[in-house]
Amino acid sequence: MDNKILEQAKAAKISSRVLACVTTDEKNRALGLIADALEKRCGEILAANALDVEAARAKGTSESMIDRLSLTGPRISAIAEGVRQVADLPDPVGEVVEKTTRPNGLVISKVRVPLGVIGMIYEARPNVTVDAAALTLKAGSAVLLRGSGSAMHSNETLVRVIRDALRETAIPEEAVDLIDGTSHDSVDEMMCLRGYIDLMIPRGGAGLIRRVVEGSRVPVLETGVGNCHVFVDETADADMAERIVINAKTQRPSVCNAAETLLVHRGRPDMLKRLCSALAENGVTVHGDEEVCSLIEGAVPATEKDFAEEFLSLDMAVKLVGSVDEAIEHITRYGTGHTEAIVTGSRENADHFVRSIDAAAVNVNASTRFTDGFEYGFGAEIGISTQKMHARGPLGLREITSYKYIVEGNGQIRG
Amino acid sequence: MDNKILEQAKAAKISSRVLACVTTDEKNRALGLIADALEKRCGEILAANALDVEAARAKGTSESMIDRLSLTGPRISAIAEGVRQVADLPDPVGEVVEKTTRPNGLVISKVRVPLGVIGMIYEARPNVTVDAAALTLKAGSAVLLRGSGSAMHSNETLVRVIRDALRETAIPEEAVDLIDGTSHDSVDEMMCLRGYIDLMIPRGGAGLIRRVVEGSRVPVLETGVGNCHVFVDETADADMAERIVINAKTQRPSVCNAAETLLVHRGRPDMLKRLCSALAENGVTVHGDEEVCSLIEGAVPATEKDFAEEFLSLDMAVKLVGSVDEAIEHITRYGTGHTEAIVTGSRENADHFVRSIDAAAVNVNASTRFTDGFEYGFGAEIGISTQKMHARGPLGLREITSYKYIVEGNGQIRG
């Protein structure tokens, strides 16, 4: 065990007890100071980021990765604005979720409380460093940020700016700390810190998430892998189906709520043809099963992997099914519990699909792209959970809290 | 991997999809049939239980353990009555927790859904077999029951009775299954069945719980270990303090919500003396720190372990503290996040204690013994969670469910 990480976690745990009792006003003031400091120290942040970008280029990193890593003046302003928006959100801590008076006079309140210390593991996007810190602080928890080694200069500077701002507040600066992202072992070390870290949130590729989910002794919120389907039912409106399929696949293909597989009812070969030609027009390669390939010119044969994994690109697996039940069966086999959509004109089929599909979000006549904290009205999100425990779907402020029961009496004892 | 357990888990998973869609009426009818069958086949159950009890006696098992293991006619009737009470509880599945209409017209409903398959691991109390099956069925989940090997004949018969009853219903009998309790490895095998088992709930001693919490790759609800404290503040009413301390310690010393440590404000030596003599009168041995031992005749010196672990017997660790903050500090160090109580006449001290203590239940002027699903009005419970993720405190039907978002539109796409 790296003693540094243990020390950081211990300090975060101690700070979390102070943070848990900080008022909403003081938390919001701290977020305002952080936002101001990010803008004021923009030059310093950009200089650090330039070192990371230079190193990434020297390693031959792809341009799309370089883009994710790169900060600019306007990007830093947008990040600061995001922090101010978190300050404007209602404070989840202290919310009375339920309150009952028992026959014996005991008043039992279920009250939202902070989780304690949250460990975030993520890849080379420096904006996540600030977003995660802002959200966890507002939710009353300390955060240990383990970003990618390739963003280390940027992250170090961002965390220094945040901590300098915290020094002028009632929040201990130890409540935000950066874990060494250049060490592969640091992830494993964090996963062992049961008792110090209360929750791990891995964000990134399927491999990273699997590693944390399978190895962690600290509870995990599994996020992000979305092998999402759109099923176009026999009764679907063709215009609506085309609009939804194109949006779900092409509006932002690299994200987890983009659709990866299209299932079309076999009774509508016209629909299949129309959708496939719309996909082709939008630059999407259709990976069809044998039947689809025999009907659609330009379709390439789909492999098992095409149905089982995310493309995250302008590719879509396409398959004909004979019924809603066959669509449900396919999705049950290949889905990752993220978002599944049906396009249908039948209330009955919609209800059957909604009841039978086991996923965070089941959409009827709406694009899969809506599974998102902002779209749900949460104001912000720290990820999308694909697990069933604790929180499912978009993770807003409430979803990164716990609760406790406060039981108030006047001397009651149990008979 | 024992293929039998994998096969049982696979069958439970498949059955859970059917069970998730079974109506409330049908689930309640099934629970009624199970209750009737338990009473009708009482003789068969008692004969099997007699084999377990005989074997336990032959092994020299303690009388208190024999008592936990033993069934009688009235006990079986009480178990059947418990099943009927679960049928009377509201169905958590399908409950619309929240519903919002977004500016774009999307209607987003957050709806309670079953978890899937729950793995219960517990010790030699055959009543848990039936209680857990009834609660998980009502919550729409299948259950894999891994009781103790010493209750194997009882459990086999009870599960056979339950499954025979299910055969007359729409619920597949595979939704309730018994895992071999005579094999130590079966616990480890269950803990690896990620994808088949959705949640593990260990109930029993601290050792069992630690083993599951640390080793499981399936998410866990940690239950039961309660190193609960009562802090008697300087401003406490002496009558109330005595009533609460005696109830919390002696009403049922072997359970997790019994108090284990008494903290008394140093400014009230009169209170300390009164409480310790009341404890002695009730047969409780006081394990005092040095200061307490110097003041209280008959107190035995407390070890570190006395403060750190549960006694679960008529023993209590006792310590003087100088302030509410010192009490909070002690509890933060030794508490297990179960139930912590303050007896006080000061609103300010009560509020400070409630805010600062991180536990499932924080009680003001009420016995620790109230942390219980029935006392909270949940109607039943499957355990008491001492973790912060998913559910905290008494676990009723709602707490063993998940939720999903149903998003209904009329062709909305994301801009």
Side-chain angles (χ1 to χ4, degrees):
Chain A
M1 172 62 63
D2 180 334
N3 268 319
K4 175 144 191 245
I5 294 176
L6 179 60
E7 290 312 313
Q8 289 178 294
K10 278 185 185 171
K13 190 73 187 178
I14 292 166
S15 77
S16 75
R17 294 195 193 106
V18 179
L19 175 54
C21 296
V22 168
T23 63
T24 303
D25 283 350
E26 182 66 1
K27 286 191 286 192
N28 292 344
R29 193 177 72 86
L31 291 169
L33 292 174
I34 289 170
D36 294 346
L38 288 166
E39 291 181 326
K40 210 177 301 167
R41 295 171 68 176
C42 180
E44 193 182 329
I45 297 165
L46 290 178
N49 184 246
L51 296 175
D52 288 331
V53 170
E54 195 183 327
R57 277 200 206 287
K59 279 200 304 188
T61 305
S62 74
E63 274 311 305
S64 69
M65 288 296 286
I66 298 268
D67 183 57
R68 286 176 163 219
L69 177 61
S70 298
L71 293 174
T72 61
R75 283 187 179 182
I76 291 175
S77 295
I79 292 171
E81 205 40 53
V83 174
R84 290 188 187 103
Q85 281 166 15
V86 172
D88 287 340
L89 294 175
D91 190 342
V93 175
E95 188 197 330
V96 179
V97 182
E98 283 168 19
K99 189 167 186 170
T100 52
T101 303
R102 301 293 304 151
N104 60 5
L106 284 182
V107 179
I108 304 184
S109 310
K110 182 173 176 178
V111 178
R112 226 180 269 292
V113 298
L115 271 172
V117 178
I118 296 176
M120 281 289 299
I121 300 182
Y122 52 102
E123 297 181 335
R125 293 169 61 178
N127 62 309
V128 175
T129 304
V130 181
D131 290 355
L135 288 165
T136 50
L137 284 183
K138 180 78 183 231
S141 281
V143 66
L144 295 173
L145 299 154
R146 199 280 185 193
S148 162
S150 58
M152 213 55 200
H153 294 100
S154 314
N155 288 340
E156 275 169 3
T157 305
L158 289 167
V159 169
R160 192 164 57 236
V161 169
I162 292 169
R163 289 175 64 131
D164 287 349
L166 288 181
R167 234 176 278 137
E168 296 166 48
T169 74
I171 302 173
E173 61 176 305
E174 292 79 9
V176 178
D177 212 348
L178 187 68
I179 301 293
D180 183 3
T182 61
S183 146
H184 191 73
D185 292 344
S186 61
V187 172
D188 297 317
E189 286 163 17
M190 289 174 79
M191 297 195 298
C192 291
L193 290 176
R194 208 179 163 85
Y196 298 103
I197 301 179
D198 294 284
L199 172 65
M200 296 283 279
I201 306 179
R203 261 176 70 163
L208 168 70
I209 291 166
R210 196 175 319 112
R211 177 171 164 218
V212 176
V213 161
E214 297 193 347
S216 183
R217 288 166 70 169
V218 173
V220 177
L221 263 178
E222 185 174 355
T223 70
V225 177
N227 190 21
C228 305
H229 299 72
V230 178
F231 166 52
V232 178
D233 185 28
E234 198 166 12
T235 58
D237 174 83
D239 287 341
M240 189 194 286
E242 179 177 331
R243 198 160 67 238
I244 288 176
V245 169
I246 296 302
N247 184 258
K249 179 67 254 181
T250 69
Q251 199 238 354
R252 207 171 158 203
S254 66
V255 294
C256 61
N257 59 19
E260 304 290 0
T261 295
L262 169 65
L263 302 172
V264 180
H265 196 286
R266 188 170 289 117
R268 294 290 297 274
D270 59 312
M271 185 83 83
L272 176 73
K273 284 177 187 162
R274 176 167 171 181
L275 294 174
C276 287
S277 69
L279 286 168
E281 275 164 35
N282 283 274
V284 177
T285 302
V286 167
H287 299 244
D289 66 357
E290 216 169 300
E291 195 179 0
V292 168
C293 286
S294 74
L295 294 166
I296 303 298
E297 213 178 318
V300 303
T303 63
E304 171 70 12
K305 188 166 173 274
D306 291 341
F307 287 109
E309 294 180 17
E310 297 172 286
F311 290 109
L312 300 173
S313 58
L314 288 173
D315 294 87
M316 191 166 214
V318 181
K319 185 183 161 67
L320 290 171
V321 294
S323 62
V324 185
D325 278 317
E326 207 183 309
I328 292 167
E329 206 177 298
H330 180 94
I331 293 169
T332 299
R333 179 158 171 205
Y334 293 105
T336 53
H338 193 296
T339 304
E340 308 298 353
I342 182 173
V343 186
T344 183
S346 155
R347 184 73 254 167
E348 196 187 327
N349 288 356
D351 288 345
H352 181 51
F353 187 86
V354 159
R355 247 197 327 270
S356 306
I357 292 290
D358 186 17
V362 188
N363 294 8
V364 177
N365 296 333
S367 172
T368 57
R369 290 277 294 121
F370 285 111
T371 307
D372 175 281
F374 292 91
E375 295 293 333
Y376 275 35
F378 295 177
E381 65 161 56
I382 204 162
I384 312 272
S385 159
T386 54
Q387 70 182 38
K388 285 200 254 184
M389 299 291 294
H390 188 72
R392 204 172 192 193
L395 301 169
L397 288 173
R398 288 187 312 180
E399 285 71 26
I400 52 168
T401 63
S402 181
Y403 58 81
K404 69 181 167 194
Y405 290 100
I406 299 171
V407 178
E408 295 186 277
N410 45 25
Q412 280 87 344
I413 58 170
R414 189 154 165 199
Chain B
M1 172 62 64
D2 181 331
N3 269 319
K4 175 143 190 245
I5 294 176
L6 179 60
E7 290 311 313
Q8 288 178 295
K10 278 185 186 172
K13 190 72 186 179
I14 291 166
S15 78
S16 75
R17 293 196 193 106
V18 178
L19 175 54
C21 297
V22 167
T23 64
T24 304
D25 283 351
E26 183 65 2
K27 286 191 286 192
N28 292 345
R29 194 177 72 87
L31 291 169
L33 291 174
I34 290 170
D36 294 347
L38 288 166
E39 290 181 328
K40 211 178 300 168
R41 295 170 68 177
C42 180
E44 193 182 330
I45 296 164
L46 291 177
N49 184 246
L51 296 176
D52 289 330
V53 170
E54 195 182 328
R57 277 199 208 286
K59 280 200 304 187
T61 306
S62 73
E63 274 311 305
S64 69
M65 288 295 285
I66 298 268
D67 182 58
R68 286 176 163 218
L69 176 62
S70 298
L71 293 174
T72 62
R75 282 187 180 183
I76 290 174
S77 295
I79 291 171
E81 205 39 55
V83 175
R84 291 189 186 103
Q85 281 165 15
V86 172
D88 287 340
L89 294 175
D91 190 342
V93 175
E95 187 198 331
V96 179
V97 181
E98 283 169 19
K99 190 168 185 169
T100 53
T101 303
R102 301 291 305 151
N104 61 5
L106 284 181
V107 179
I108 303 184
S109 310
K110 183 175 176 177
V111 179
R112 226 180 270 293
V113 299
L115 272 173
V117 178
I118 296 176
M120 282 288 299
I121 300 182
Y122 52 101
E123 296 179 335
R125 293 170 61 179
N127 62 307
V128 175
T129 303
V130 182
D131 290 354
L135 288 166
T136 50
L137 285 183
K138 181 77 183 230
S141 282
V143 66
L144 295 173
L145 299 154
R146 200 281 185 192
S148 162
S150 58
M152 212 56 200
H153 294 100
S154 313
N155 287 340
E156 275 169 3
T157 306
L158 290 167
V159 168
R160 191 164 58 237
V161 169
I162 291 169
R163 290 176 63 131
D164 287 349
L166 289 181
R167 232 175 281 138
E168 296 166 48
T169 74
I171 302 173
E173 61 176 304
E174 292 80 8
V176 178
D177 211 349
L178 187 67
I179 302 293
D180 183 3
T182 62
S183 146
H184 191 73
D185 292 343
S186 61
V187 172
D188 296 317
E189 286 163 18
M190 289 175 79
M191 297 196 298
C192 292
L193 290 176
R194 207 180 163 85
Y196 298 102
I197 301 179
D198 294 284
L199 173 65
M200 296 283 280
I201 305 179
R203 262 177 69 163
L208 168 70
I209 290 166
R210 197 175 319 113
R211 177 172 163 219
V212 176
V213 161
E214 296 192 349
S216 184
R217 288 166 69 169
V218 173
V220 177
L221 263 178
E222 185 174 356
T223 69
V225 178
N227 191 21
C228 306
H229 299 73
V230 178
F231 166 53
V232 177
D233 185 27
E234 198 166 12
T235 58
D237 175 84
D239 287 341
M240 190 195 287
E242 179 176 330
R243 197 161 66 237
I244 288 176
V245 168
I246 296 303
N247 184 258
K249 178 68 253 181
T250 70
Q251 198 237 355
R252 207 171 157 201
S254 66
V255 293
C256 61
N257 59 18
E260 303 291 0
T261 296
L262 170 65
L263 303 172
V264 180
H265 195 287
R266 189 171 286 118
R268 295 289 298 275
D270 58 312
M271 184 84 81
L272 175 74
K273 283 178 187 158
R274 177 168 170 179
L275 294 173
C276 287
S277 71
L279 285 168
E281 276 164 35
N282 283 274
V284 177
T285 303
V286 167
H287 299 244
D289 66 357
E290 216 171 300
E291 195 178 1
V292 168
C293 285
S294 74
L295 293 166
I296 304 297
E297 212 178 317
V300 303
T303 62
E304 171 69 12
K305 188 165 172 275
D306 291 341
F307 287 109
E309 293 180 18
E310 297 172 286
F311 290 109
L312 299 173
S313 59
L314 288 173
D315 294 86
M316 192 166 214
V318 182
K319 183 184 163 67
L320 290 171
V321 293
S323 63
V324 186
D325 278 316
E326 206 184 308
I328 292 167
E329 206 178 298
H330 181 93
I331 293 169
T332 299
R333 180 159 169 203
Y334 293 106
T336 54
H338 194 294
T339 304
E340 308 299 353
I342 182 173
V343 186
T344 183
S346 155
R347 183 74 256 169
E348 195 187 329
N349 289 357
D351 288 344
H352 181 52
F353 187 85
V354 160
R355 245 197 328 271
S356 305
I357 291 291
D358 185 17
V362 188
N363 294 9
V364 177
N365 296 333
S367 171
T368 57
R369 290 276 296 119
F370 285 111
T371 308
D372 175 279
F374 293 91
E375 295 294 334
Y376 275 35
F378 295 177
E381 65 161 56
I382 204 162
I384 312 272
S385 160
T386 54
Q387 68 182 40
K388 285 200 254 183
M389 298 292 294
H390 188 74
R392 206 173 191 191
L395 301 169
L397 287 173
R398 287 187 313 179
E399 285 72 25
I400 53 168
T401 63
S402 181
Y403 58 82
K404 69 181 168 195
Y405 290 100
I406 298 171
V407 179
E408 294 187 277
N410 45 25
Q412 280 86 345
I413 58 170
R414 190 155 164 197

